[in-house]
Amino acid sequence: MRYLKFFIILFSLFVGSKLSAQQAAPNQKMQWFADAKLGIFIHWGIYSVNGISESWSFFNNYINHDAYMKQLNGFTATKYQPQEWVNLIKESGAKYAVIATKHHDGVALWDSKAPLATTTLKNSAAKKDLITPFVAELKKSGLKTGLYFSLPDWSYPDYDGFTRDRKRYDYKQDAPRFTKFQNYFQGQLNDLSAKYNPDLLWFDGDWEHSGEEWQAKNILTNLRKVNQNIIINSRLNGHGDYDTPEQGVPVVKPGSPEWELCYTMNDSWGYQPYDNHYKSSNMIIRTLVDCISMGGNLLLDIGPKADGTIAPEQVKILKDLGRWTKKHGEAIYGTEAGLPDGHFVGKTALSKDKAVLYLYLDYKTKNGILLNGIKSKIKKVELIGNKTPINAVKLNETDYFLDVNESDFDNDVTVLKVFLNEPIQLSKEKQQTISLETLFAASQHLDLTNYILRKLSYDLNSGVNIFQNTNLTADGLEFKSGIKNVNPKVNNWVIKNAEALYKTTGGIPAGHYQGSTALSADKQTLYLFVEGTPTGPIAIKGLKNNISRIRIVGEGTMLPHEIYNKLYWSKIPGIVYIPVPKDKLDPELTVIAVLLDSPIDLYREKVGAIESNL
């Protein structure tokens, strides 16, 4: 009996160990992806000839199918240099690339031998297999290989879908014909898998049929016969390994442990010569940081021209990205999601052992950087890029001031590396709110104006307004604090910015704006507190409302704004970018008023695939 018990215990340990290994396997498989942080998406196809929407242009009847397919005659790839592409991708700091092998139009960019396949080798002016040399260069460079593959094929005669208002047949009524299509596209997938052994397969178009109709389980079985560790994106009807939000930067962290934002530089996936709505390099770098801070990746798209060259605007963004990623690599690759909101104005990330905290600043300041609610002890702080030591002044048991020389700030995003004595521990104690006495009292030694005004903005953001029962009016005139020995800087600031203090309520939830906010009593004016000098336009995510006007509080100066990634066919709001002129910044804390067309309405839903772009 004793030996039997020993055997049972030993067996249970063995089984438990084996189960743990099995459970850990997916994490190990996903590790390179989780560490990569930046990938490059490539939409290249015949749609670049006329500069029209890839596949959707004929699906939506903007151009008929015959006219669309005539672009094959102009798709030359005469200047295609796959090695140059890969060198540029590597220079950007990306760790993987995903190239479209076949979009919904059914044009295969490799030498597909599938019956009735339309390929660039057989049917286009290029007369080339375009995927093989690119994948060869990718593998030579050490970058991971991703292949995009459209499940639907709107040009294939045995696929049921054709255009928005025309179907070839009802697949439920003609199962043998749909089986022909299943055999066709799965044959193409098996061919891609055998030829290129990709690290990642990026599916698209799964919304047109169920997982059973696509035979998703069979697809995965066949792919894993070639590469047991192949990674699949989320667009295989729930059979994927990670979430793939599209265009809209998530406001809150996606639910999947690994995720990737696929994102365009302008408003188009493929090359469109008249789409000049490019985001700046600064915006793209900050979007990458946004993804890093939530533990995700940025899959940034380029759309090469029909001759195989890449537009100079896109080349510049990739090179600018490369400058920043090369300098800050240790704060990018292999990091994990950062701190919850409220500890620092900016984005954060953590090392895998949680003993290093990375702080990302997209603004410059002479007033120091406040880090609060950190229970762990800070051993030292360095500037990423040149390891310059940063002075960390301990204010109390959990709060610190970090002082960065003005000359040390990066022009896009500065990164500080905070070394802790243990895996980070955060204080659960609620921050003490500031009182009128503390706010207005003049300091005998240090000028704490900026510090206490920031604390005031944090309180306002959380819904604590110490001015509710004072004689403060909306215009600030004749305000008396009733405090002796008043700090004149604070007093002047309060009078100047009285509008943002008078009867205002708590701000908007975390994720929409990286600093503190407050709302007017009618919820129709959003007040943004802007610290330091922003390196680019400040951003608001997930704002459903239309904006009536924007101005600087206390100055009255009207400001423009521009919206990116609000695509006309998508319900997901774009990002509002507001440029703030340097000569209008308050030396202590700037306040921006955003007047909305109605009480504030915010989008916090999960961002998914685009299933229609009529």
Side-chain angles (χ1 to χ4, degrees):
M1 179 64 73
R2 184 176 55 174
Y3 294 107
L4 179 60
K5 286 181 179 178
F6 176 77
F7 175 79
I8 291 171
I9 292 169
L10 186 64
F11 178 76
S12 65
L13 287 172
F14 171 77
V15 171
S17 172
K18 188 172 183 180
L19 284 173
S20 296
Q22 287 175 339
Q23 290 166 352
N27 291 331
Q28 293 170 1
K29 178 185 81 170
M30 296 298 295
Q31 197 60 60
W32 74 260
F33 180 84
D35 290 345
K37 302 307 174 189
L38 178 61
I40 300 300
F41 213 177
I42 304 168
H43 276 75
W44 193 31
I46 66 172
Y47 38 85
S48 61
V49 174
N50 290 349
I52 58 180
S53 295
E54 58 290 333
S55 309
W56 294 97
S57 47
F58 77 79
F59 183 83
N60 290 326
N61 298 308
Y62 298 163
I63 183 174
N64 67 46
H65 184 259
D66 288 350
Y68 180 93
M69 296 304 284
K70 283 179 182 176
Q71 291 178 107
L72 284 161
N73 300 325
F75 190 67
T76 64
T78 51
K79 298 180 181 179
Y80 175 41
Q81 298 291 335
Q83 185 177 10
E84 290 183 9
W85 282 19
V86 171
N87 289 343
L88 184 60
I89 291 167
K90 195 158 189 176
E91 184 183 346
S92 76
K95 298 299 182 184
Y96 64 108
V98 178
I99 188 168
T101 62
K102 185 190 75 167
H103 206 270
H104 312 325
D105 60 13
V107 178
L109 273 68
W110 83 101
D111 183 18
S112 173
K113 298 292 197 299
L116 303 179
T118 301
T119 73
T120 53
L121 178 64
K122 293 184 299 183
N123 305 101
S124 80
K127 299 300 179 188
K128 293 175 184 175
D129 169 354
L130 302 170
I131 299 299
T132 299
F134 178 74
V135 171
E137 292 296 337
L138 269 184
K139 291 181 180 293
K140 195 189 304 182
S141 73
L143 297 176
K144 295 289 186 179
T145 301
L147 302 180
Y148 168 107
F149 183 85
S150 169
L151 292 163
D153 187 331
W154 293 331
S155 296
Y156 188 71
D158 287 314
Y159 184 57
D160 60 327
F162 183 43
T163 66
R164 182 172 293 277
D165 55 8
R166 286 180 62 190
K167 282 190 173 294
R168 293 185 175 91
Y169 62 95
D170 183 346
Y171 71 94
K172 292 179 181 177
Q173 302 299 320
D174 196 346
R177 193 172 178 186
F178 194 68
T179 299
K180 283 185 184 179
F181 171 70
Q182 289 171 324
N183 293 336
Y184 165 76
F185 91 83
Q186 293 210 34
Q188 285 192 318
L189 268 176
N190 294 339
D191 185 33
L192 288 170
S193 180
K195 276 181 184 289
Y196 305 120
N197 188 20
D199 302 289
L200 185 152
L201 213 304
W202 213 101
F203 287 106
D204 200 12
D206 64 342
W207 56 82
E208 293 211 334
H209 287 284
S210 68
E212 290 74 22
E213 288 155 5
W214 291 125
Q215 298 183 335
K217 290 182 179 179
N218 187 54
I219 289 172
L220 292 179
T221 298
N222 289 336
L223 291 174
R224 286 170 180 159
K225 283 178 184 176
V226 177
N227 180 358
Q228 187 179 356
N229 292 317
I230 193 167
I231 293 173
I232 307 297
N233 74 329
S234 60
R235 301 186 188 185
L236 191 57
N237 298 92
H239 292 81
D241 296 304
Y242 66 92
D243 281 346
T244 313
E246 181 170 339
Q247 294 289 43
V249 184
V251 173
V252 293
K253 184 182 183 298
S256 173
E258 293 84 26
W259 62 273
E260 163 197 80
L261 169 67
C262 54
Y263 202 62
T264 54
M265 293 181 176
N266 51 9
D267 290 335
S268 309
W269 294 107
Y271 176 68
Q272 293 190 16
Y274 305 112
D275 181 358
N276 296 312
H277 198 219
Y278 280 97
K279 305 167 188 75
S280 68
S281 299
N282 174 273
M283 293 176 188
I284 297 290
I285 290 168
R286 287 161 56 201
T287 298
L288 170 61
V289 168
D290 209 346
C291 293
I292 292 169
S293 73
M294 291 187 279
N297 296 2
L298 173 64
L299 183 63
L300 183 66
D301 182 69
I302 59 174
K305 299 179 182 181
D307 65 0
T309 58
I310 300 171
E313 298 92 339
Q314 299 180 23
V315 171
K316 182 181 186 303
I317 288 172
L318 292 179
K319 286 183 174 291
D320 289 346
L321 253 179
R323 178 206 70 81
W324 190 82
T325 56
K326 184 178 181 181
K327 179 180 177 182
H328 301 98
E330 63 183 292
I332 302 171
Y333 313 111
T335 59
E336 296 185 352
L339 306 181
D341 184 63
H343 297 277
F344 165 71
V345 176
K347 306 299 180 184
T348 64
L350 288 163
S351 60
K352 287 179 182 174
D353 64 4
K354 308 289 193 296
V356 174
L357 171 65
Y358 298 100
L359 307 177
Y360 306 87
L361 294 107
D362 58 5
Y363 57 93
K364 303 177 182 181
T365 179
K366 299 176 183 177
N367 296 313
I369 296 128
L370 182 61
L371 178 62
N372 58 61
I374 308 299
K375 203 171 178 181
S376 307
K377 306 302 179 190
I378 292 179
K379 296 196 295 184
K380 65 175 179 175
V381 182
E382 287 181 353
L383 183 75
I384 298 284
N386 60 15
K387 298 194 181 297
T388 300
I390 300 298
N391 187 30
V393 178
K394 190 172 184 179
L395 301 174
N396 50 48
E397 285 304 306
T398 61
D399 298 354
Y400 296 84
F401 242 160
L402 310 177
D403 192 20
V404 180
N405 291 328
E406 196 171 359
S407 60
D408 287 334
F409 281 98
D410 187 83
N411 287 331
D412 292 302
V413 179
T414 305
V415 189
L416 303 183
K417 185 177 184 180
V418 181
F419 295 85
L420 305 169
N421 68 331
E422 61 180 339
I424 193 165
Q425 301 291 321
L426 301 176
S427 173
K428 295 180 181 178
E429 295 180 16
K430 192 174 180 181
Q431 294 286 317
Q432 187 174 359
T433 58
I434 200 165
S435 65
L436 283 170
E437 288 77 11
T438 304
L439 177 66
F440 284 99
S443 173
Q444 295 181 355
H445 305 290
L446 295 173
D447 182 3
L448 298 176
T449 302
N450 181 264
Y451 172 70
I452 60 177
L453 288 178
R454 279 192 265 182
K455 294 285 279 184
L456 173 66
S457 74
Y458 303 161
D459 288 350
L460 290 167
N461 187 82
S462 63
V464 177
N465 188 338
I466 59 175
F467 292 97
Q468 292 289 23
N469 297 313
T470 68
N471 69 338
L472 183 70
T473 55
D475 61 10
L477 293 177
E478 300 178 2
F479 171 71
K480 304 293 181 185
S481 67
I483 308 299
K484 293 181 180 179
N485 193 25
V486 167
N487 179 339
K489 286 186 178 180
V490 171
N491 199 66
N492 292 339
W493 187 92
V494 167
I495 292 171
K496 173 187 174 183
N497 295 283
E499 176 199 342
L501 311 174
Y502 175 70
K503 294 185 178 180
T504 51
T505 62
I508 57 179
H512 294 280
Y513 174 71
Q514 74 171 17
S516 296
T517 62
L519 284 166
S520 59
D522 65 1
K523 303 291 189 290
Q524 203 163 325
T525 300
L526 171 65
Y527 295 101
L528 309 174
F529 294 88
V530 182
E531 296 195 13
T533 303
T535 61
I538 60 174
I540 308 171
K541 291 192 295 185
L543 183 65
K544 292 183 182 180
N545 307 77
N546 293 318
I547 293 174
S548 300
R549 65 173 65 96
I550 304 174
R551 55 192 165 72
I552 298 179
V553 173
E555 299 275 354
T557 308
M558 306 299 287
L559 298 180
H561 71 281
E562 193 161 8
I563 299 174
Y564 286 83
N565 288 93
K566 177 63 188 92
L567 305 181
Y568 67 94
W569 34 261
S570 171
K571 68 178 181 178
I572 301 167
I575 302 177
V576 178
Y577 283 102
I578 307 167
V580 184
K582 290 182 181 179
D583 63 332
K584 293 297 180 180
L585 290 169
D586 188 283
E588 303 300 342
L589 188 63
T590 307
V591 187
I592 305 294
V594 182
L595 177 64
L596 308 172
D597 63 343
S598 58
I600 194 162
D601 189 12
L602 298 170
Y603 185 96
R604 293 179 69 81
E605 291 89 339
K606 179 180 177 181
V607 178
I610 303 300
E611 300 182 7
S612 173
N613 70 344
L614 180 62

